[in-house]
Amino acid sequence: MPKPIMGAIMQEPTTTDELIAAHGLKPDEYQRILDLLEREPSYTELGIFSAMWNEHCSYKSSKKWLRTLPTTGPQVICGPGENAGVVDIGDGQAVVFKMESHNHPSYIEPHQGAATGVGGILRDVFTMGARPIAAMDSLSFGRPEHPRTAHLVKGVVEGIGAYGNAFGVPNVGGEVRFHRAYDGNCLVNAFAAGLADADRIFYSAASGVGMPVVYLGAKTGRDGVGGATMASAEFDESIEDKRPTVQAGDPFTEKCLLEACLELMQTDAVISIQDMGAAGLTCSAVEMGDKGGLGIKLTLDHVPQRETAMTAYEMMLSESQERMLMVLRPEKEAEARAIFEKWDLDFAVIGETIAEDRFLILHGNEVMADLPLSKLSSSAPEYDRPWVATPAAAALTELPEIAPIAALKALIGAPSYAHKGWVWEQYDTQVGADTIREPGLGAGVVRVHGTGKALAFTSDVTPRYVKANPVEGGKQAVAEAWRNLVAAGATPLAATDNLNFGNPEKPEIMGQFVGAIQGIGEACRALDFPIVSGNVSLYNETDGQAILPTPTIGGVGLIAQSSDLIAGLPRQGDVALVIGATHGHLGQSALAAEAFGIETGDAPPVDLEAERAHGTFLLGHRAHVGAAADLSDGGLALAAFEMAEAAGIGVTLEAADIPTLFGEDQARYLIAAPAAEAETLLEAARAAGIPAALVGRFEGDRVTLGTDSAPLTELSRLYRSAFAAAIHGELPDHA
């Protein structure tokens, strides 16, 4: 049993119910700490428990359900539990990727919150030994007319661009949506992917006793103290008080850290490595020790500091950016130090691995914490929260009459469905010179440098569906990501998830989470699309009002050779062909929401067998496909318009009825192909028992839906201006 701590306690705050609550600990959780220690924790120890046992770090409300997700497959090298997932892409190469949220900090301080979200996810990737090659972002904001929305959109986009552009990673995809449910809590989900040698992946488990624990990167300051705990709580009117919990990032330091780490990794000096993200030094050290079955001793006097008189509590909980923790081979210390000093980064031995199960923290010749290390992780609370299944959705009320072109204008004039050039034109999409397909139309595609291969990336979820029917909505998020990859000609490999929900202590919110997990798991199993990494973000509420359940799926697919890529645009005279059956499902549709403010009805059902069959068919016949898009929000009409507009040519769809044009039936693709190729596809579909039908033609300079028509130029002006108009957005100077 760890010995009682003396000396330092005298100067520390008295532990009160208020202090315990301020650390995000419930009375029963504090009692669990007392039972573990057989004494009261010191102030520093209380902070350490708070950091390790909050929702953001311990997954205490979600662990039970996350274990039900499929995480393995022949392509999976490393699944959940490490900094990022690792998937084999052949030829001795692997793709390393993960998505995680920076929601709370981005609402409080949008530029820095979003920027450090990008920095954190990039570190997760290069910590594994991978060089980042792509980034994406899934962003959800409140109503454009809400007084904070424009500020948040501009700050978040600027922060993502400023950090990613300076670091030098192309931003190749993502999504942006607006809905009143995000008025008080925006979502900023950042994705990064990198390339590594499949036999040179670095992990976080420490090994060996007496090995030096080395601090690397930028100095530690007071920024971000309590950040992980803040991200595990709801917002209220005191939100401005939480501004000091948001970190500040420096992308140039991060770039140096990347290069230094990758250089060091070539020397065989690294035993284990962990980036300092949420809960900073505490979480990184505990995870390294726990995974390796070792204890850790740290002497905080040796921690590089950029502020004076920092306490042990502050150093252990700081979330200052651009920092790493490594366990190194002692004989390589001088070589490692030289590399980091060359890159003008701090290198400091701040501790060692020990045989005992202890987390021993020394500062100023005093013991500030002495805890059983394994208990910090393994004994974290794990809850089987009460939950109630989401009731069946009410039937869709009959939609008012609307002409097809007016319906299309309602969608393309809404910021959620308008052209997002305002966003992604602020990002460097071409750095590295390997981007094949930039944002704007389906999955982003990046060349695997020096090979004929490419990787496709997408991020998808339709929160309205998940709220109405969590199981089908969870399925749909996976299916749409899978389809987006297929539509680019990629074979889907694996996914990462970012599960954004409200307060799990409310049974109806927990029911949304459970339902979504069930749907995600079912779809991933049916499509051989395992979840290899991810993040859970709960307590996304303000004044008791929860966000829409938003389980975002980031998908990665492999294009094995350049000829497999589907990235063209329709050409004049191409035929429009739909693979999949159209029934005209309008429940929870984009049209109902945007044109009429109606969010009723059930989510569209997802037939996973059909999803697999139709996607496999498209991949098998991609040689005949000129351009392809999956049909999701906005149905056939919106997808056809987006393809036509991108190509600068008109489109005619034969259907005149709203359900056929704007229904959101799943398992469907829109294909553009010359008439002869289209006929070949139709014959092959008939032979395979796959529903397929000609629906129109790409031609002329007008958009015609049945008998309703408008000039493409008029619609294009609306489509390309609506986003900026909605957020009163003049482009910032740097764009």
Side-chain angles (χ1 to χ4, degrees):
M1 183 59 58
K3 60 185 176 65
I5 296 175
M6 307 300 293
I9 292 178
M10 301 301 294
Q11 289 80 42
E12 294 186 341
T14 304
T15 302
T16 61
D17 291 347
E18 290 75 21
L19 187 69
I20 293 164
H23 282 78
L25 293 164
K26 301 283 172 63
D28 62 312
E29 292 173 341
Y30 185 69
Q31 185 59 52
R32 185 185 295 226
I33 295 170
L34 296 179
D35 293 344
L36 275 173
L37 299 181
E38 300 180 358
R39 60 172 172 82
E40 284 202 353
S42 70
Y43 184 54
T44 301
E45 290 175 332
L46 183 68
I48 289 169
F49 274 108
S50 166
M52 291 305 301
W53 286 13
N54 63 61
E55 192 72 56
H56 192 76
C57 293
S58 74
Y59 296 90
K60 58 191 178 187
S61 299
S62 58
K63 260 186 220 172
K64 170 184 165 81
W65 297 101
L66 295 176
R67 292 191 189 105
T68 67
L69 292 171
T71 59
T72 59
Q75 72 277 41
V76 178
I77 295 173
C78 176
E82 279 291 342
N83 288 289
V86 186
V87 175
D88 196 319
I89 61 170
D91 308 310
Q93 294 179 299
V95 59
V96 180
F97 62 96
K98 187 184 180 185
M99 179 182 282
E100 70 178 21
S101 62
H102 239 227
N103 306 337
H104 286 54
S106 296
Y107 189 80
I108 299 166
E109 181 55 65
H111 183 115
Q112 290 296 352
T116 52
V118 174
I121 199 67
L122 289 168
R123 280 196 306 284
D124 279 338
V125 166
F126 71 75
T127 296
M128 304 282 298
R131 181 173 291 280
I133 62 162
M136 290 192 301
D137 307 280
S138 176
L139 311 175
S140 304
F141 298 104
R143 294 163 296 166
E145 60 270 24
H146 187 273
R148 275 188 67 89
T149 297
H151 166 70
L152 289 171
V153 174
K154 292 171 184 175
V156 164
V157 171
E158 186 180 64
I160 291 169
Y163 202 103
N165 296 356
F167 179 84
V169 62
N171 197 311
V172 299
E175 52 190 345
V176 186
R177 69 179 58 81
F178 296 82
H179 191 280
R180 74 182 78 83
Y182 306 104
D183 278 352
N185 197 132
C186 60
L187 301 185
V188 177
N189 297 331
F191 168 99
L195 286 174
D197 292 337
D199 61 353
R200 297 280 298 172
I201 306 298
F202 290 82
Y203 299 99
S204 57
S207 64
V209 174
M211 299 293 146
V213 175
V214 182
Y215 174 116
L216 306 165
K219 287 180 169 58
T220 293
R222 291 186 171 91
D223 50 328
V225 173
T229 302
M230 173 273 295
S232 305
E234 296 181 26
F235 284 149
D236 54 28
E237 68 278 355
S238 67
I239 187 172
E240 287 299 317
D241 299 340
K242 302 183 192 299
R243 192 174 296 276
T245 62
V246 179
Q247 317 92 340
D250 177 1
F252 300 103
T253 300
E254 178 110 334
K255 177 68 172 173
C256 292
L257 186 60
L258 161 74
E259 299 299 343
C261 286
L262 293 184
E263 186 175 338
L264 181 63
M265 288 168 173
Q266 298 302 311
T267 68
D268 291 323
V270 180
I271 296 174
S272 64
I273 178 168
Q274 180 77 28
D275 83 292
M276 291 194 223
L281 187 53
T282 290
C283 195
S284 56
V286 169
E287 287 188 6
M288 288 173 76
D290 188 54
K291 288 176 183 175
L294 293 167
I296 301 281
K297 174 185 175 183
L298 299 179
T299 302
L300 299 186
D301 305 75
H302 301 153
V303 170
Q305 299 160 54
R306 57 177 162 82
E307 298 188 50
T308 58
M310 289 190 72
T311 64
Y313 179 97
E314 291 169 331
M315 280 187 274
M316 292 307 297
L317 297 190
S318 167
E319 294 183 9
S320 295
Q321 297 292 288
E322 294 86 42
R323 300 180 302 158
M324 294 282 198
L325 200 64
M326 285 186 185
V327 176
L328 291 182
R329 301 188 194 283
E331 67 275 15
K332 296 279 189 176
E333 184 184 320
E335 185 178 358
R337 182 184 297 275
I339 290 171
F340 276 78
E341 288 178 351
K342 180 183 75 175
W343 287 99
D344 201 24
L345 295 166
D346 276 295
F347 179 103
V349 178
I350 64 167
E352 63 178 341
T353 58
I354 56 178
E356 304 97 321
D357 181 20
R358 296 171 76 184
F359 192 38
L360 183 60
I361 309 298
L362 307 175
H363 187 221
N365 295 317
E366 292 191 80
V367 176
M368 306 305 293
D370 191 349
L371 299 169
L373 186 144
S374 64
K375 302 298 184 187
L376 289 168
S377 183
S378 63
S379 293
E382 184 174 329
Y383 297 121
D384 186 2
R385 301 244 186 233
W387 61 278
V388 296
T390 301
L396 174 66
T397 52
E398 191 170 339
L399 297 183
E401 292 286 324
I402 190 169
I405 292 294
L408 180 62
K409 285 180 175 178
L411 287 179
I412 64 176
S416 291
Y417 301 104
H419 190 267
K420 302 301 190 305
W422 187 93
V423 175
W424 57 261
E425 285 164 11
Q426 297 184 55
Y427 304 154
D428 191 335
T429 61
Q430 296 296 329
V431 62
D434 282 320
T435 303
I436 298 172
R437 193 185 201 196
E438 60 186 12
L441 202 64
V445 181
V446 175
R447 187 183 297 104
V448 178
H449 195 79
T451 76
K453 298 181 294 194
L455 289 163
F457 305 103
T458 186
S459 144
D460 298 284
V461 65
T462 307
R464 291 187 312 278
Y465 295 173
V466 188
K467 185 165 191 277
N469 187 331
V471 176
E472 290 301 310
K475 280 191 217 171
Q476 193 277 339
V478 173
E480 186 178 343
W482 197 84
R483 284 199 305 272
N484 264 320
L485 298 173
V486 168
T491 300
L493 289 177
T496 180
D497 59 7
N498 205 149
L499 306 173
N500 305 274
F501 291 81
N503 184 343
E505 297 168 48
K506 299 176 180 176
E508 65 276 13
I509 299 292
M510 196 65 206
Q512 293 176 346
F513 182 86
V514 172
I517 286 281
Q518 290 170 338
I520 290 168
E522 189 180 339
C524 287
R525 279 186 286 272
L527 299 171
D528 290 333
F529 199 44
I531 302 285
V532 298
S533 60
N535 173 239
V536 179
S537 175
L538 304 177
Y539 296 95
N540 289 289
E541 300 201 2
T542 300
D543 296 326
Q545 295 301 303
I547 61 162
L548 290 177
T550 312
T552 309
I553 302 296
V556 177
L558 176 65
I559 298 166
Q561 52 194 14
S562 55
S563 58
D564 291 342
L565 175 68
I566 306 172
L569 293 171
R571 292 176 291 186
Q572 196 73 239
D574 273 0
V575 168
L577 174 74
V578 169
I579 293 173
T582 298
H583 305 289
H585 186 98
L586 288 170
Q588 299 297 335
S589 64
L591 178 68
E594 297 295 351
F596 308 112
I598 295 172
E599 296 181 26
T600 56
D602 202 355
V606 180
D607 182 336
L608 293 167
E609 284 187 18
E611 292 283 2
R612 186 169 187 126
H614 301 176
T616 302
F617 174 83
L618 176 54
L619 289 176
H621 296 83
R622 55 191 149 196
H624 305 290
V625 175
D630 92 296
L631 299 192
S632 50
D633 273 15
L636 170 62
L638 184 59
F641 169 78
E642 288 175 343
M643 286 174 74
E645 199 273 346
I649 56 178
V651 63
T652 297
L653 297 178
E654 295 164 4
D657 63 295
I658 293 298
T660 300
L661 288 167
F662 294 95
E664 296 179 4
D665 308 294
Q666 300 296 295
R668 295 189 301 159
Y669 300 86
L670 175 62
I671 287 168
E677 301 287 2
E679 189 55 44
T680 301
L681 283 168
L682 283 171
E683 287 176 11
R686 281 193 289 271
I690 302 288
L694 296 177
V695 296
R697 187 175 292 273
F698 293 93
E699 60 185 4
D701 58 3
R702 299 181 68 82
V703 176
T704 302
L705 307 177
T707 57
D708 203 5
S709 180
L712 177 64
T713 51
E714 174 194 324
L715 297 173
S716 184
R717 273 196 301 273
L718 172 63
Y719 179 56
R720 289 182 177 257
S721 63
F723 188 96
I727 62 156
H728 317 293
E730 298 297 325
L731 281 176
D733 293 340
H734 76 262

